[in-house]
Amino acid sequence: MRMSTKRIVVLISGRGSNMEALLKARLPATVAAVISNNPDAQGLAVAADHGVPVATVDHRGYAARGDFDLALAAEIEKHAPHVVALAGFMRVLTPGFIGRFEGRLLNIHPSLLPAFPGLHTHRRALEAGVRIHGCTVHYVTPVLDSGPILLQAAVPVSVSDTEATLAARVLAEEHRIYPEAMRWVCEGRARVMAGGRVHIEGARDAAGALLAPALDG
Ligand code: GRF
């Protein structure tokens, strides 16, 4: 049966609020471990409070990015995850690492991709004068913040917004859409079509309707 429990490993670097949203979401999945590259990540204590095994692979212990990624991959593989979720994980991963997990590696990004890949998305959105900002859950591919999109949420920008107020409203939407997209993936309902669009089987919302098979051909 497709609802069997999947194992998720979540990678964090800091606060871990998206990780906590995944933990609280009652997914048909177990968060098998939370792993950080930063031993001081606040989210590690949050995960431990939820009874989730935590581990640190400190990137500062590795001279080369590839060596860090190999150690990180080894730590992840201990948990044989079906899905690896980047949740505020602030290291750029090598193509070798991404290839190893491609198709089961997800990320939450604080902009409406393909707008504003990379860092400081809220500041850049304000500087660009966009009226609509938001967040994106996507599969990770070797090109930064550009993999197939699972789900997005739009956040209107107000004239009085600062980077902080805008970030807070986007974050609230991140906490809503990451668990929702993760549910689709854990239920086996997400399929990347030729060309990179994602079809969500049985989705009833606007995103799912746009991605219905008739429109994919
Ligand atoms: C989130 O805005 C996420 O989209 C971005 O970094 C932030 C991490 O926040 N990549 P948290 O650690 O999940 O609280």
Side-chain angles (χ1 to χ4, degrees):
M1 171 170 162
R2 91 152 42 114
M3 299 290 281
S4 63
T5 299
K6 297 284 198 292
R7 283 183 305 283
I8 305 171
V9 167
V10 185
L11 305 186
I12 65 169
S13 295
R15 180 178 55 186
S17 68
N18 278 291
M19 175 270 302
E20 191 171 22
L22 292 171
L23 284 179
K24 288 179 165 173
R26 296 168 182 257
L27 296 168
T30 302
V31 177
V34 170
I35 303 172
S36 178
N37 65 300
N38 167 17
D40 301 323
Q42 292 164 257
L44 288 172
V46 177
D49 282 348
H50 282 266
V52 176
V54 297
T56 300
V57 181
D58 189 339
H59 64 277
R60 293 168 299 189
Y62 300 85
R65 202 177 274 281
D67 293 338
F68 166 72
D69 280 7
L70 282 176
L72 180 63
E75 188 63 40
I76 293 169
E77 296 284 19
K78 286 182 190 170
H79 305 279
H82 299 89
V83 185
V84 178
L86 307 183
F89 186 71
M90 302 307 285
R91 304 293 302 171
V92 171
L93 295 161
T94 54
F97 178 97
I98 292 167
R100 195 157 161 177
F101 295 101
E102 198 162 344
R104 53 188 173 127
L105 187 57
L106 303 188
N107 184 41
I108 177 89
H109 181 77
S111 78
L112 286 176
L113 292 172
F116 311 119
L119 296 174
H120 310 301
T121 56
H122 309 306
R123 187 192 313 163
R124 288 158 59 209
L126 289 173
E127 284 168 0
V130 297
R131 301 294 198 247
I132 306 286
H133 187 40
C135 48
T136 303
V137 180
H138 66 97
Y139 285 104
V140 176
T141 59
V143 182
L144 185 70
D145 297 329
S146 71
I149 291 171
L150 275 148
L151 188 55
Q152 295 185 300
V155 172
V157 180
S158 135
V159 283
S160 59
D161 264 326
T162 63
E163 210 175 320
T165 60
L166 185 55
R169 290 207 312 290
V170 171
L171 190 65
E173 290 301 298
E174 294 182 40
H175 295 165
R176 188 176 66 76
I177 68 169
Y178 210 0
E180 190 172 347
M182 185 63 77
R183 181 179 305 280
W184 291 341
V185 170
C186 290
E187 290 175 353
R189 293 167 56 198
R191 202 153 37 95
V192 181
M193 312 294 279
R197 295 174 75 184
V198 180
H199 171 61
I200 308 300
E201 189 187 309
R204 283 185 294 271
D205 65 359
L210 281 173
L211 295 167
L215 298 179
D216 278 319

